[in-house]
Amino acid sequence: MVIEETRRKRLDRGIKVRTETLYALSTWREMAYLIVPRTVLILGLLLLPLILDMYWQRVLCTAGIYAILALAFDFLAAYVGLVCLGGALFIGAGGYISGLLNAYLGWPPLLCIPIATLAGAVISTFVLLPCLRLRGIYFAIVSFMFPLFAVHIIVALNVFGGTEGISALAILPNIWVEQYLILGMIIVSLFAIRRLVNEDIGLILRGIKDNDQAVRASGISITAYKTKAVFIASLMGCFGGAYLSHLYGWLGISLFAMDFSILPIAACVMGGMGSLVGPVLGAFILTPMSEALRGFGQLRVVLYCLILIGFIVYKPEGLMNYLQRKYHQFEYWERV
Amino acid sequence: MLEVKNLMVFYENAIAINNVNMTCKKGVITGAFGANSAGKSTLMYTISGIMLDIKKKEEMRGGERITVLGSINYDGADIINMKPSERAKKGIILCPERRRIFPESSALENLKIGGYLATKTQAKKTLEYVFTIFPSLKELQGREGGFLSGGEQQMLAIGRALMAQPKLLLLDEPLLGLSPRIEAILARTVKEINREIGITILITEQYARPIFPIIDYGYVLENGGAVLEGTAKELMENPDVKSAYFGL
C-alpha cells in the first residue's frame, strides 16, 4: 500500500538570497525588492502628516512618542533580554529636565530637547544600573517601580511644581515642526538600531540574552554591554519625554504615567517582537485606535483589550513577523 | 504493542525521520542506536507525543513548521494525533533525554509527581519498588533534585517514569554523560525492570556497548532512516555494526 501524503514546503525566495546575503544586484527587480519596503516605510511616515487634519495630526505626534518607546522596549526585550517597564521613567526624566531648563533658565525647546535627551538618558541609566544584574521578571518589576518612586518624591517634596506641574512652557514653533521632528527621529532611530543589532555589539547583546554565562566566559563584561544598551534605549525614551513636554507646553507627574510603560508592550505584541519596525507599526495602529474608539465611551477599554487579546491568542508572532515571512518566503505543496 | 509505520518528521524543510518502520513487541526491550542527528530524540518525542507540543509552540512563535506524517499504532489504535497527556494515560511514558528532573523538588517529591496518574496503592507499591532497585535513592530522598549527581539524577528520572505506571517505557539516552560503572548498573537495572514487571521498553543510545547485551531486538538509525534491524545477536554479528559500534 502506497500512502500519498503531502506537506507544505516553505522556502526563501531566490531573490531574497541574491539580494540580502550575496548582494548580487543585477536587475531593477532585485533593487526594488530591497528598496521598496524601506521606501514605503519612510515615505509612508513622511507623507502621513499631509493627509491628516489638525486633530489627527496631534494624535500622530502622540503615536510617535509611543512608537519610539515601543522601539526602545523591543530593542531591550528582544535583543538584550531586559524586559524594561521603565518607559515612564524615560519619559519623565526627559520631560522634566527639558521642561525645567525651559521654565527656569528660559532656554528654547530646540536646545532643551537635545540636552534633556542626553542628561535624562545618563540619569535613567544610573538609576537602572544597580538592577542590571537582575533578569527577566525581576528587572521588569524594579524598572516598573522607579516611575512610581519619582512621582512620590516630587509630590512629597513639592518640588518642580508638585502635583500641579508647570504650565506655559515654550512649545515647538508649529505643527509641522512637531510632526516631522518626531517622525524623523523615529526613522533615524529605527534604522540606527537595526544597523546596531547586526553589528558586533548586537551579536554580544543577543548572546547576553541567550546565555549570559557563556558571554562572561568569553571574557566580555556583560554589565558594560547591558549599560550601553540601556543608555541607547533611554536616549530614545528621554527624547520622547523632552518632546512631549514641549508638545503640550506643560510638565507634571502624569509624565510618569503607567501608560508609557504598558502601551509599548502592547505595541510590541501587536507588531511582532524582535522585528523593530513591528512595534513602531503597532504603536501607529494602537494609539489612533484608542482615539477612534473614544466614541464608545467606557466600552473603549473593553474593545481595546479584546483586540489585544485576539492578537495574543491568534497571532502571537505579531503582524510584522508574519508579513516579513510572506514577503521573503514562498510555499507550495510537496508530495513526500 | 507499538507499531511505527512510514513515520516521517520534518523540521521545516529538513527531514529528521525518513520513512521509519519499527515494531516493539510486548514485554521485550527494543533498542534504537545511532549517532548524533540520526533522529533518535525526534523518534522518542514523536512516539511520546511531545512533538505535537513542540509543534504547537513553534507555530505560536511563528518559527519552524514541524510536519509529522505516517502512523503510530499502539494497542490497536492509531495515536499519531493523540495529545501527550492522553498517551501517558494509555501507558506510554517518556524518560526524557538529559533527565529533566524537577531541580527544586526533593527526590521523593519528584517520584511523587511522577505518580500522579497512579492510584494510591499503585504509587506506594511502585515507590517501594523504585527504592529496592535504586537503594541510593532511598538514602537521598530528602535531597533536592538539582543537587543529585548525574547518575543519581538518571536513576531518579527512571524511577519517576516508573511511578507513572508505564506499559511502554521510552528511555531516551539514559546513559548520557555517566561513568562506565554507573552505565553498567543502570543497564542491569533496566533489564531487571523488564524482567520483573514485564514492561515493554524502547531505549535509544549512541553508545551501544553497555546496552547491546540487554536488548532483544534492535534498530540502527542513520540520518533519519532505519538502515538495519535484527535481534541483538544478528546485529552484533553484522560487520558494519561491529566496526561502527564496537570498534572491532
Side-chain angles (χ1 to χ4, degrees):
Chain A
M1 186 181 69
V2 180
I3 307 167
E4 287 281 309
E5 276 177 300
T6 53
R7 71 183 190 94
R8 238 162 134 60
K9 189 163 179 166
R10 193 154 67 188
L11 277 181
D12 278 2
R13 288 179 203 281
I15 193 166
K16 172 180 191 271
V17 181
R18 286 198 300 280
T19 50
E20 283 197 346
T21 45
L22 298 177
Y23 270 106
L25 301 178
S26 54
T27 61
W28 283 109
R29 199 169 154 260
E30 284 165 4
M31 303 266 266
Y33 183 82
L34 278 184
I35 292 169
V36 167
R38 291 155 175 83
T39 324
V40 167
L41 174 75
I42 296 173
L43 279 186
L45 283 182
L46 290 183
L47 294 179
L48 213 49
L50 302 178
I51 55 168
L52 296 175
D53 60 18
M54 268 302 277
Y55 175 72
W56 287 104
Q57 284 179 339
R58 299 296 284 194
V59 175
L60 181 71
C61 293
T62 322
I65 295 169
Y66 283 116
I68 216 161
L69 275 177
L71 178 62
F73 175 84
D74 190 31
F75 169 62
L76 280 185
Y79 290 92
V80 197
L82 294 171
V83 180
C84 180
L85 297 182
L89 176 74
F90 301 152
I91 291 283
Y96 263 90
I97 293 173
S98 183
L100 292 174
L101 284 178
N102 180 260
Y104 294 148
L105 303 176
W107 292 356
L110 289 179
L111 181 65
C112 291
I113 290 178
I115 293 175
T117 304
L118 263 179
V122 170
I123 290 172
S124 306
T125 312
F126 267 107
V127 167
L128 289 173
L129 202 56
C131 33
L132 279 184
R133 293 166 177 279
L134 305 174
R135 287 174 63 97
I137 190 77
Y138 299 102
F139 185 78
I141 293 171
V142 174
S143 58
F144 194 65
M145 290 308 205
F146 282 118
L148 304 175
F149 211 62
V151 169
H152 289 290
I153 288 177
I154 289 168
V155 173
L157 301 181
N158 202 16
V159 287
F160 309 147
T163 39
E164 304 281 304
I166 299 172
S167 48
L169 301 177
I171 55 170
L172 292 160
N174 60 48
I175 187 82
W176 301 106
V177 176
E178 283 171 0
Q179 291 176 83
Y180 282 107
L181 183 60
I182 191 83
L183 289 177
M185 213 52 177
I186 289 170
I187 293 170
V188 169
S189 22
L190 188 57
F191 282 93
I193 294 286
R194 240 176 59 137
R195 172 63 73 87
L196 183 84
V197 297
N198 288 319
E199 297 286 326
D200 288 358
I201 177 171
L203 278 181
I204 295 169
L205 292 178
R206 263 179 285 172
I208 290 174
K209 187 200 170 197
D210 290 339
N211 189 342
D212 56 352
Q213 283 179 343
V215 175
R216 220 182 264 144
S218 314
I220 295 166
S221 160
I222 63 169
T223 314
Y225 278 92
K226 277 184 179 175
T227 313
K228 279 178 202 164
V230 168
F231 180 73
I232 291 166
S234 42
L235 272 181
M236 290 188 276
C238 291
F239 171 81
Y243 169 82
L244 181 64
S245 63
H246 293 291
L247 182 66
Y248 292 114
W250 175 84
L251 69 82
I253 49 175
S254 66
L255 286 179
F256 288 107
M258 242 33 111
D259 292 19
F260 296 115
S261 303
I262 301 299
L263 201 131
I265 306 175
C268 275
V269 168
M270 190 173 198
M273 284 287 255
S275 62
L276 294 179
V277 65
V280 173
L281 190 75
F284 276 113
I285 295 173
L286 279 177
T287 323
M289 194 170 78
S290 135
E291 287 297 319
L293 289 176
R294 254 177 219 288
F296 292 96
Q298 287 299 313
L299 273 180
R300 163 176 166 236
V301 182
V302 177
L303 285 171
Y304 191 75
C305 291
L306 279 180
I307 293 169
L308 266 180
I309 292 170
F311 256 97
I312 293 173
V313 174
Y314 295 107
K315 216 83 210 102
E317 55 176 326
L319 268 180
M320 210 54 214
N321 286 336
Y322 175 77
L323 291 177
Q324 274 175 347
R325 210 176 56 228
K326 290 283 163 213
Y327 188 68
H328 288 311
Q329 297 180 317
F330 67 101
E331 299 184 353
Y332 62 92
W333 287 97
E334 184 205 45
R335 189 177 295 150
V336 290
Chain B
M1 184 165 201
L2 179 86
E3 208 179 356
V4 176
K5 260 193 202 156
N6 302 98
L7 187 70
M8 298 188 99
V9 179
F10 292 87
Y11 291 111
E12 200 63 71
N13 302 327
I15 188 159
I17 291 193
N18 190 357
N19 222 353
V20 166
N21 292 293
M22 182 177 256
T23 323
C24 294
K25 292 207 188 72
K26 203 174 174 80
V28 305
I29 303 183
T30 311
F33 304 98
N36 288 99
S37 85
K40 299 185 302 293
S41 296
T42 309
L43 181 70
M44 286 308 213
Y45 284 145
T46 317
I47 295 175
S48 63
I50 308 286
M51 191 50 84
L52 296 178
D53 196 51
I54 301 174
K55 180 178 167 179
K56 180 89 192 162
K57 277 185 186 143
E58 282 292 314
E59 253 169 45
M60 295 292 273
R61 214 167 56 87
E64 279 179 335
R65 180 160 22 196
I66 296 173
T67 322
V68 179
L69 300 170
S71 70
I72 301 175
N73 253 298
Y74 174 74
D75 273 350
D78 191 7
I79 56 162
I80 191 102
N81 288 320
M82 193 184 271
K83 276 194 234 159
S85 56
E86 294 293 317
R87 293 191 205 196
K89 276 183 198 152
K90 287 192 122 197
I92 304 181
I93 306 293
L94 173 72
C95 172
E97 192 183 353
R98 285 174 226 292
R99 318 187 248 276
R100 304 283 172 95
I101 56 161
F102 304 109
E104 288 176 16
S105 305
S106 72
L108 186 64
E109 283 165 342
N110 263 284
L111 291 173
K112 281 185 175 163
I113 298 167
Y116 177 75
L117 286 174
T119 62
K120 233 176 196 166
T121 41
Q122 277 177 331
K124 210 172 158 200
K125 212 174 125 206
T126 321
L127 192 64
E128 267 168 34
Y129 180 67
V130 170
F131 284 150
T132 44
I133 54 172
F134 299 124
S136 55
L137 280 186
K138 187 163 185 151
E139 291 157 31
L140 298 166
Q141 56 178 296
R143 192 178 291 185
E144 280 182 25
F147 291 124
L148 296 176
S149 74
E152 288 154 1
Q153 286 190 9
Q154 186 60 54
M155 291 176 191
L156 185 57
I158 295 178
R160 187 182 60 183
L162 283 178
M163 288 295 286
Q165 312 300 320
K167 295 196 182 79
L168 170 65
L169 178 62
L170 307 171
L171 295 174
D172 196 359
E173 304 218 10
L175 306 185
L176 190 75
L178 300 182
S179 71
R181 201 174 67 86
I182 307 274
E183 276 177 357
I185 294 174
L186 276 178
R188 209 168 51 228
T189 317
V190 169
K191 186 72 190 169
E192 262 171 43
I193 293 169
N194 170 253
R195 212 176 35 228
E196 283 168 14
I197 42 178
I199 299 174
T200 314
I201 297 178
L202 175 59
I203 185 165
T204 65
E205 191 55 58
Q206 282 197 47
Y207 184 57
R209 199 182 290 232
I211 296 294
F212 245 100
I214 65 163
I215 63 162
D216 300 301
Y217 201 79
Y219 293 84
V220 176
L221 301 176
E222 212 166 83
N223 292 329
V227 289
L228 269 179
E229 61 175 287
T231 60
K233 204 161 164 250
E234 281 168 9
L235 282 180
M236 223 132 40
E237 278 160 12
N238 185 301
D240 291 338
V241 175
K242 255 188 190 167
S243 67
Y245 290 94
F246 295 97
L248 297 174

